[in-house]
Amino acid sequence: MYPEYMVAPIREDLTSAGFEQLMTPEEVENVLSQKEGTVLVAINSVCGCAASKARPALKMAVSSADKKPAKMITVFAGMEADAVSKAREYMLPYPPSSPSIALFKNGELVHMIERHHIEGNDLVRIVDNLKGAFEANC
């Protein structure tokens, strides 16, 4: 775990853009067990690719997309391990990945962006990928 003073601004990077920070497995379960609507899930991280690509791409896609998920949540890898584990249960069969981004529609995982899609891509492609997923599913 990291000191909270260190992760607070990283959390705020997404919560200030409309993401709800979930801290417990019960909170995650309450959101992801819903069978109606769309939910965007960001597994946040302190790593460089989260700072330089994942979080900026999420914010750019959400702010510029015509269609958007009904709900946006985030869990923080390396901090709330139980909440992250619960979110990852819903992302199976994809292996654990931080950062990662998942889109759910009516309780089903419909789009997944893993760490290797983030660190091996440029920001514009990640934004376009997300906007395409929003357009197709939201």
Side-chain angles (χ1 to χ4, degrees):
M1 291 186 59
Y2 302 98
E4 184 58 37
Y5 73 86
M6 189 172 140
V7 299
I10 301 170
R11 290 184 198 277
E12 187 179 348
D13 199 16
L14 289 179
T15 59
S16 66
F19 284 79
E20 180 184 356
Q21 176 70 54
L22 302 185
M23 307 294 275
T24 68
E26 294 79 18
E27 291 174 329
V28 172
E29 179 79 24
N30 287 339
V31 172
L32 294 183
S33 65
Q34 299 299 310
K35 300 299 181 195
E36 292 184 17
T38 52
V39 180
L40 182 63
V41 180
I43 296 190
N44 204 351
S45 172
V46 299
C47 73
C49 65
S52 66
K53 295 182 182 179
R55 289 192 304 272
L58 283 160
K59 294 185 301 183
M60 289 172 67
V62 167
S63 69
S64 64
D66 293 329
K67 293 183 176 182
K68 300 174 188 180
K71 187 160 188 70
M72 302 182 304
I73 64 170
T74 182
V75 292
F76 206 110
M79 293 300 290
E80 292 78 38
D82 293 338
V84 171
S85 291
K86 179 55 74 176
R88 286 179 172 153
E89 286 177 21
Y90 284 90
M91 296 175 189
L92 291 172
Y94 293 95
S97 177
S98 301
S100 59
I101 303 164
L103 181 64
F104 293 85
K105 180 177 182 177
N106 299 330
E108 299 293 325
L109 178 63
V110 294
H111 193 75
M112 185 73 183
I113 300 175
E114 298 173 86
R115 179 186 177 105
H116 68 91
H117 297 124
I118 295 167
E119 65 187 351
N121 241 322
D122 65 48
L123 183 59
V124 173
R125 286 187 181 172
I126 300 167
V127 171
D128 289 345
N129 181 314
L130 286 167
K131 288 172 70 173
F134 298 166
E135 185 65 32
N137 296 289
C138 297

